[in-house]
């Protein structure tokens, strides 16, 4: 006699329930049919078959079977099954009635109160749902499942922190229960608490060391913390355990992109696309790595394919595709369409402090009465680049300029040769509310589109433009150096240069270096650096005005020196940002072989020539820069 049959004394209903709990639906169904053959109309057997139908995803069948059981014997647990099946089938009012009967017949059964809570929430009665769920918890206070359901209800009600607190309680009740830990980690990650989510994912991995999903989730959490090497190791392991999971391959591709391993990133994202070809998010990621590999035609086709899908609409992945398409178009000089596509960023990057309220978006038309609020949207470099459009905008409207405080003194150095610009442009004090005469708003990066400017405008220095050069042709040349961007940027590793790789620059005699690096960049290059006083960007601009040359990676320093008209050399990654594409190179090369930029004619690039990892990709452009620096020095002497 089988062990379960001995344990249940041959009772076919008890045997069926045991089989169902073990996940054996077919075995359970056989036992319930046996019970009905012995006793036709047996309500417990009918109820058991209703449970099998629900487990098989057939709530329609479960409703009929549970209804027959209730008609014979109106037991509370029959009503619970009937109510759950009705809920699953979308019959909310009938489900509520059945479950209310269950709570009346057996008020001490927490399952009835918990099931009723689900129906009440579906009907929008969240306060009543929470009360019902709390009654269930009062009956079974150490049940982690009920506590977790309440945590998720609180989160869905908008109380994210309360939900997390309850999820912590659920996890504490069952510290080795993976479901509770996973829910807690998910809530923490969703609340932006990546530092707290990561150790919870690590605990799950400890409990399930051979589970590919546990490795993949931990890898994704590490990636969210910019711990790229550890994330790669975890996702690599997950992909080896389960190579056919598109999400793992997608995340692995993103990590490899961040690490600068572009061909490997492309392979992983191609694998993800093959597994899930209709996934727009994966397609946009694949387009991004194609652009980074300078396979821009393929990237553009892929973005357009995402936008052509019938379900694109207001989808965020479609907005990402449109924004990425904008950068690709700008990089090849299709400016008008590129600026229009770039407007999709408003759907991707929420304005942290939208002080424009409900005012309309400015369309670029002349404003006769009132002012337009112009706001900085992204980094300092973007802001500096697009300040050049202010004079044209001021001809059409009075402007209220909302930009970071660190730029205020610098912006006041913008020239106004005919005295018409500054009377029509005011700086909004930091933290101040916009004045009441604001009638429209606009992002700085939208100005080319709204003003109908289809090309890079003619350049003249527009920040600290009258600064006198104080660098001397005699003695040591003074060269400013910035080797790293903001480390919180996910793909900073590709644009920043490991400072040790700049050692060849220090071999050039007759050059002294001045640090333009922001604080907290860690150890610098292996040669002496003067470190000037720190302050706002006007202070930095005045430091630059005392230099002969600026050498930088793609940060705000490149834009600042360029906007001043100061000589600046840009160390740029392979497949770099759209504004540094060859499309904007000036036609006449410099004595060292590079061409200036139409955005900043004094800026010359030393580009990576191959999509190699960062530890190799910078060797060749730094060597070229070292040789150019020696020629520059000789030209000054």
């Amino acid at each position: 006699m089988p062990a379960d049959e001995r344990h249940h004394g041959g009772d076919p209903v008890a045997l069926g329930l045991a089989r169902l709990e073990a996940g054996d639906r077919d075995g359970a169904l056989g036992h319930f049919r046996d019970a009905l053959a012995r006793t036709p109309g047996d309500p417990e057997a009918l109820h058991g078959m209703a449970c099998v139908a629900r487990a098989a995803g057939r709530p329609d069948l479960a409703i009929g079977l549970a209804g027959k059981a209730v008609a014979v014997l109106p037991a509370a647990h029959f009503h619970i099954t009937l109510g759950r099946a009705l809920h699953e089938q979308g019959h909310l009012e009938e489900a509520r009635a059945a479950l209310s009967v269950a709570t009346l017949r057996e008020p001490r059964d927490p399952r009835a109160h918990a099931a009723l809570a689900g129906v009440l929430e579906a009907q929008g009665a969240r306060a009543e749902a929470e009360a019902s769920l709390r009654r269930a918890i009062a009956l079974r206070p150490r049940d982690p499942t009920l506590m977790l359901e309440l945590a998720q209800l609180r989160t869905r009600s908008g109380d994210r922190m309360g939900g997390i607190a309850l999820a912590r309680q659920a996890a504490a009740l069952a510290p080795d229960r993976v479901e509770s830990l996973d829910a807690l980690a998910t809530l923490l990650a969703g609340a932006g608490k990546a530092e707290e989510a990561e150790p919870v994912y690590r605990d799950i991995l400890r409990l399930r060391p051979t589970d590919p999903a546990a490795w993949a989730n931990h890898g994704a959490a590490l990636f969210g913390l910019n711990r790229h090497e550890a994330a790669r190791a975890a996702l690599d392991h997950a992909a080896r355990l389960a190579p056919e999971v598109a999400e793992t391959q997608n995340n692995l591709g993103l990590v490899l992109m961040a690490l600068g391993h572009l061909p490997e990133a492309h392979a992983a994202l191609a694998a993800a696309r093959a597994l899930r070809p209709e996934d727009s998010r994966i397609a946009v990621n694949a387009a991004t790595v194609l652009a980074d590999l300078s396979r821009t035609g393929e990237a553009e086709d892929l973005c357009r394919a995402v936008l052509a899908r019938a379900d694109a609409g207001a989808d965020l992945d479609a907005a990402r595709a449109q924004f990425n398409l904008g950068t690709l178009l700008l990089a090849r000089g299709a400016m008008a369409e590129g600026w229009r596509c770039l407007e999709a960023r408003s759907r991707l990057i929420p304005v942290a402090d939208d002080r424009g309220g409900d005012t309309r978006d400015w369309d670029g038309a002349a404003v006769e009465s009132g002012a337009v609020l112009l706001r900085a949207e992204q980094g300092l470099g973007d802001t500096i680049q697009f300040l050049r459009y202010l004079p044209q905008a001021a001809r059409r409207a009075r402007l209220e300029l909302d930009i970071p405080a660190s730029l205020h003194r610098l912006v006041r150095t913008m020239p106004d040769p005919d005295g018409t610009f500054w009377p029509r442009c005011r700086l909004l004090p930091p933290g101040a509310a916009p004045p009441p005469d604001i009638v429209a708003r606009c992002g700085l990066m939208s100005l080319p589109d709204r003003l109908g400017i289809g090309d890079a405008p003619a350049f003249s220095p527009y920040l600290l433009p009258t600064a006198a050069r104080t660098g001397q042709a005699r003695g040591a040349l003074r060269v400013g150096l910035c080797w790293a961007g903001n480390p919180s940027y996910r793909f900073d590793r590709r644009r920043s240069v490991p400072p040790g790789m700049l050692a060849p620059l220090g071999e050039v005699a007759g050059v002294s270096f001045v640090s333009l690096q922001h604080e907290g960049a860690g150890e610098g290059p292996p040669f002496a650096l003067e470190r000037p006083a720190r302050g706002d960007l006007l202070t930095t601009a005045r430091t630059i005005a005392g230099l002969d040359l600026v050498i930088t990676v793609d940060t705000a320093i490149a834009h600042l020196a360029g906007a001043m008209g100061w000589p600046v050399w840009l160390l740029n990654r392979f497949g770099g940002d759209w504004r540094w594409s060859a499309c904007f190179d000036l036609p006449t090369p410099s004595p060292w072989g590079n061409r200036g930029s139409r955005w900043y004619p004094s800026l010359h690039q030393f580009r990576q020539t191959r999509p190699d990892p960062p530890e190799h990709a910078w060797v060749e452009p730094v060597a070229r820069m070292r040789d150019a620096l020696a020629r520059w020095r000789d030209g000054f002497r």
Side-chain angles (χ1 to χ4, degrees), residues 420-432:
T420 60
F421 169 60
W422 278 112
R424 293 178 61 80
C425 183
R426 302 174 301 191
L427 281 169
L428 185 65

Side-chain angles (χ1 to χ4, degrees), residues 364-537:
V367 175
E368 300 300 332
S369 177
V372 173
L373 179 68
L374 279 181
R375 63 184 185 274
E377 303 168 78
Q378 299 187 54
L380 291 172
D382 291 314
T383 302
I384 290 170
Q385 180 181 3
F386 286 85
L387 286 172
R388 73 186 66 210
Y389 294 98
L390 288 182
Q392 296 98 315
R395 295 189 188 107
R396 302 190 190 184
R398 287 193 297 106
L399 307 176
E400 192 77 29
L401 190 57
D402 185 8
I403 59 174
S406 61
L407 279 166
H408 278 215
R409 290 200 307 147
L410 178 66
V411 166
R412 293 189 184 280
T413 70
M414 288 185 69
D416 186 7
D418 57 8
T420 60
F421 169 60
W422 278 112
R424 293 178 61 80
C425 183
R426 302 174 301 191
L427 281 169
L428 185 65
D437 64 345
I438 296 297
V439 296
R441 60 183 175 179
C442 183
L444 269 175
M445 293 181 69
S446 293
L447 286 180
D449 178 58
R450 306 298 162 83
L451 299 172
I453 299 174
D455 202 353
F459 179 84
S460 62
Y462 58 90
L463 292 178
L464 205 64
T466 59
R469 293 182 191 273
T470 59
Q472 301 296 320
R474 302 181 304 276
L477 296 178
R478 301 183 76 234
V479 175
L481 193 60
C482 177
W483 58 90
N486 185 344
S488 65
Y489 173 54
R490 179 164 285 181
F491 299 103
D492 181 67
R493 179 162 173 165
R494 286 202 58 223
R495 69 171 176 180
S496 296
V497 183
M501 299 194 74
L502 295 173
L505 301 182
E507 298 168 2
V508 180
V511 174
S512 65
F513 291 94
V514 178
S515 175
L516 298 176
Q517 188 61 51
H518 56 77
E519 298 295 337
E523 203 169 312
F527 47 77
L529 279 170
E530 177 188 335
R531 298 192 179 270
R534 301 297 176 185
D536 64 5
L537 281 169

Side-chain angles (χ1 to χ4, degrees), residues 568-572 585-597 601-609 620-621 624-625 628 631:
V568 52
W569 291 357
L570 174 65
L571 277 165
N572 200 12
D585 285 355
L586 291 173
T588 304
S590 67
W592 47 89
N594 293 6
R595 300 174 189 272
S597 165
S602 65
L603 182 146
H604 296 79
Q605 294 186 61
F606 291 76
R607 296 181 174 107
Q608 293 177 355
T609 56
E620 191 268 341
R624 278 192 286 115
M625 183 174 278
R631 292 198 298 276

